Amino acid sequence: MHIDWFVFFSQIVNFLILMFLLKKFLFGRIIGAMDAREAKIGAVFMEAEQSRQEAEAAAESHTKRLRDIEEGYEQMLNKSRQDAEAYHGQLLEKAREEVDFLKARWMEALRSERANFLQELRRLAGNQVYAVSRRVLKDLAGLDLEERIVEVLMERIEAMDEQERKKFQGPAENSGNIVISCAFEIPPAMQARLDDVLRRFFPGISGIVYERSDDVLSGCELRSNGHKIAWSVKDYLDSLEERFYSALYGEAQDWKQAKEGDHHEG
Amino acid sequence: MEVVAVHQISPDQVIFFTWHFITISATLVYTWIIMAILVIGSLVITRNLSSGRKMSRWQNLMEVIVSAIRSEIKEIVGEGGDFYFPFIGTLFLFILLSNLLTFVPGYVAPTSSLTTTAALAILVFFAVPIFGIAKQGVIEYLKEYFRPNFIFFPFHVMGEISRTLSLAVRLFGNMMSHEKVIAILLSVTPLLFPVAMQALGLLIGILQAYIFVVLTMVYIAAATQSHEGAGHKPKVHKTT
């Protein structure tokens, strides 16, 4: 265990020199580089933190904007819905009006058609009744319908009381022609008989005029001074028309009820 | 190649040159070699230092060592440890390199010389009060020797001397005995077994460098923080 004192002090000096050199060339530089790196990393972290805060702020801003847009969208949607509902109501009202209008027009057309149909029915039925009646009268009683009509007229004139005759004839100073309108031509023999009857019961008349008219349905009428005596199948036809209309209406009601029943079942 | 014979207990006994009282022994030569390696290595490594993410492997190694020493100082001594860093860092690197190079044939570790370890221990012996006084002031530092009362003053002084002695002898004993064991084993079993012992020697060398430095830090911490009461308590290390 020997200590060389020269070596001992040399080692102390060596160590101090080494410490100085390492401090200068190693530790200082390495620590400087590490500190610089740490500062850089710190700066990067700070930058990252700043970027994160900016990103958070941007995200928040975008979220707010998105929320605003969604609210705006909701409002627009509600407004559009209300507008659409209002427009729907308007369209519905308009359609209802159009339907009502079409219905009214259709009803009018139907009514008109029905009137035309009844008019036509009346005309055809009148002709048919007239033809049938004439034939029946001729076949069963050997009578002519036109003659019989004129005779009925004459019977009615004869059956009138004095009051009625005066009323028909009018005041004596103002009595004019008697107009006889028939749906057929009155044979001359019958015309003579009718003339006799008229002149006998209405002595004040100035003349008798015969005219043919389709308006008098299978009949004849006498007009004088605003009054008239008539016979035609019109009355019978009115009754027929009324019954036919009633039957037609009843049939239509039954059909409507049946259709409504099908609709409810469906 | 044997520089130190088995019967020579220290490289101090291998004299290369002598003139009056100047003797250039193997201890000094190998110390200079280690110093040269450390200084030239430092110059080379720190020539192109990078403060970015990419760096050289040597820079990375040195940063690992430096940051490990710094964190150890911080852990034991506390904040402000950078003041002691050059002293402790130099001690560690010098002892570490001295011990690690033992696997090089013909090399004799300067730390296997009691002269070197005594010099290092004396440096610690003086460094501790210097740091303590620098930190606390002369009065406060000297008061520590009289705590808890003046009777303890001789014990404190004896403690200082004995721990310095233990520092020197521990390192010297471990390194010297390891070299002698290797030399004896080589003569008994020339193959394989000495290799395992060499590997063990590397571990012992690292461990001894660590122990020397940690004990130094504990002494410094004790000298600089004793007055600070229950503040930072030095980490307790078991020493062999």
Side-chain angles (χ1 to χ4, degrees):
Chain A
M1 296 286 280
H2 157 261
I3 288 180
D4 186 332
W5 291 106
F6 173 75
V7 175
F8 176 81
F9 287 109
S10 298
Q11 289 293 62
I12 291 174
V13 174
N14 283 338
F15 182 84
L16 293 175
I17 292 169
L18 181 65
M19 188 172 74
F20 171 76
L21 291 174
L22 287 186
K23 185 183 177 186
K24 188 173 176 62
F25 296 122
L26 184 67
F27 300 140
R29 293 181 182 183
I30 291 284
I31 289 173
M34 286 167 66
D35 289 347
R37 183 180 301 111
E38 200 172 326
K40 271 186 186 176
I41 291 170
V44 168
F45 269 103
M46 198 174 288
E47 201 175 327
E49 179 63 23
Q50 198 173 349
S51 300
R52 192 183 65 82
Q53 286 176 354
E54 285 174 6
E56 276 180 1
E60 199 174 335
S61 161
H62 278 87
T63 307
K64 188 175 177 301
R65 195 181 294 172
L66 194 67
R67 205 162 44 231
D68 290 347
I69 288 170
E70 280 177 356
E71 282 175 6
Y73 166 75
E74 199 65 32
Q75 286 175 356
M76 283 171 69
L77 199 67
N78 285 336
K79 189 175 179 305
S80 300
R81 196 176 287 132
Q82 287 170 357
D83 289 350
E85 281 174 2
Y87 189 61
H88 173 72
Q90 285 177 3
L91 283 179
L92 210 62
E93 189 62 31
K94 196 175 173 184
R96 196 172 287 127
E97 284 174 3
E98 280 183 7
V99 166
D100 288 346
F101 173 72
L102 286 173
K103 190 177 170 185
R105 205 167 66 177
W106 181 74
M107 288 296 286
E108 188 61 34
L110 197 68
R111 213 171 281 127
S112 170
E113 200 173 335
R114 189 182 66 191
N116 288 339
F117 171 72
L118 288 175
Q119 191 66 29
E120 185 64 18
L121 179 74
R122 187 187 179 97
R123 192 181 65 77
L124 288 172
N127 289 342
Q128 203 62 32
V129 166
Y130 185 74
V132 168
S133 305
R134 190 164 66 179
R135 185 155 186 169
V136 167
L137 278 173
K138 196 157 184 104
D139 289 349
L140 295 180
L143 294 172
D144 190 53
L145 181 61
E146 285 82 2
E147 286 180 7
R148 188 62 197 137
I149 288 169
V150 174
E151 280 176 2
V152 167
L153 268 179
M154 288 190 293
E155 284 169 7
R156 282 197 179 180
I157 292 166
E158 285 170 3
M160 287 167 75
D161 56 13
E162 197 61 30
Q163 188 87 21
E164 284 175 335
R165 282 177 197 153
K166 279 184 179 172
K167 198 175 178 182
F168 179 75
Q169 188 180 350
E173 67 277 7
N174 197 21
S175 61
N177 291 333
I178 289 178
V179 180
I180 301 168
S181 296
C182 282
F184 47 85
E185 290 291 339
I186 300 172
M190 288 305 292
Q191 276 190 16
R193 283 179 61 193
L194 189 57
D195 286 353
D196 284 347
V197 171
L198 286 171
R199 287 191 189 283
R200 185 157 30 106
F201 287 102
F202 305 110
I205 59 171
S206 56
I208 299 166
V209 179
Y210 289 93
E211 63 178 24
R212 194 173 181 283
S213 171
D214 290 333
D215 294 338
V216 187
L217 280 169
S218 303
C220 278
E221 66 176 23
L222 275 66
R223 291 193 305 274
S224 170
N225 205 18
H227 298 278
K228 71 175 183 181
I229 302 167
W231 184 94
S232 73
V233 292
K234 181 177 176 294
D235 295 334
Y236 305 103
L237 287 177
D238 284 345
S239 170
L240 177 70
E241 184 181 335
E242 193 178 336
R243 286 191 177 190
F244 188 79
Y245 179 76
S246 297
L248 204 63
Y249 184 75
E251 189 71 22
Q253 287 294 328
D254 291 346
W255 179 80
K256 192 177 173 183
Q257 282 174 0
K259 191 159 187 179
E260 281 177 358
D262 288 346
H263 183 68
H264 286 308
E265 284 172 12
Chain B
M1 190 179 79
E2 285 293 330
V3 176
V4 180
V6 175
H7 66 275
Q8 292 177 316
I9 203 162
S10 167
D12 293 345
Q13 293 170 288
V14 181
I15 308 294
F16 292 134
F17 174 79
T18 180
W19 182 70
H20 296 292
F21 65 94
I22 298 170
T23 50
I24 306 301
S25 63
T27 306
L28 274 179
V29 172
Y30 286 120
T31 301
W32 290 335
I33 290 172
I34 289 164
M35 285 172 67
I37 291 171
L38 283 173
V39 173
I40 293 168
S42 300
L43 287 171
V44 171
I45 290 167
T46 57
R47 193 177 48 189
N48 291 316
L49 279 180
S50 160
S51 60
R53 282 186 298 176
K54 289 188 175 178
M55 65 183 95
S56 67
R57 293 175 183 176
W58 286 107
Q59 183 187 345
N60 197 3
L61 175 68
M62 289 315 297
E63 284 192 6
V64 168
I65 292 171
V66 167
S67 59
I69 297 169
R70 280 179 92 187
S71 65
E72 197 72 22
I73 294 172
K74 191 176 178 183
E75 197 175 336
I76 295 171
V77 182
E79 291 298 331
D82 279 350
F83 179 66
Y84 321 112
F85 180 76
F87 178 70
I88 293 168
T90 307
L91 262 183
F92 180 71
L93 286 180
F94 177 73
I95 298 171
L96 183 74
L97 197 63
S98 296
N99 297 352
L100 286 181
L101 287 178
T102 49
F103 67 89
V104 177
Y107 172 82
V108 181
T111 45
S112 62
S113 153
L114 184 62
T115 309
T116 306
T117 56
L120 295 176
I122 284 294
L123 280 168
V124 174
F125 178 79
F126 284 108
V128 168
I130 288 170
F131 288 142
I133 289 166
K135 182 85 176 178
Q136 304 187 60
V138 181
I139 308 294
E140 284 298 320
Y141 177 75
L142 290 178
K143 275 183 183 174
E144 291 297 320
Y145 286 90
F146 297 95
R147 283 192 178 124
N149 53 51
F150 70 93
I151 300 170
F152 281 83
F153 175 73
F155 298 108
H156 280 297
V157 174
M158 282 165 62
E160 295 282 334
I161 294 168
S162 62
R163 78 186 184 189
T164 304
L165 196 63
S166 76
L167 266 184
V169 174
R170 184 189 300 109
L171 182 59
F172 159 71
N174 273 287
M175 297 315 297
M176 183 272 291
S177 62
H178 172 69
E179 284 190 353
K180 296 303 153 198
V181 166
I182 293 288
I184 292 164
L185 282 173
L186 270 173
S187 61
V188 177
T189 53
L191 289 173
L192 297 176
F193 193 63
V195 176
M197 288 305 292
Q198 284 280 15
L200 187 64
L202 293 177
L203 182 65
I204 290 169
I206 295 170
L207 197 64
Q208 287 305 318
Y210 178 74
I211 288 167
F212 195 98
V213 164
V214 165
L215 284 174
T216 304
M217 284 189 274
V218 170
Y219 300 153
I220 292 171
T224 55
Q225 294 174 357
S226 57
H227 179 62
E228 294 170 11
H232 183 88
K233 290 198 172 176
K235 200 166 80 174
V236 177
H237 287 264
K238 275 189 177 179
T239 56
T240 56

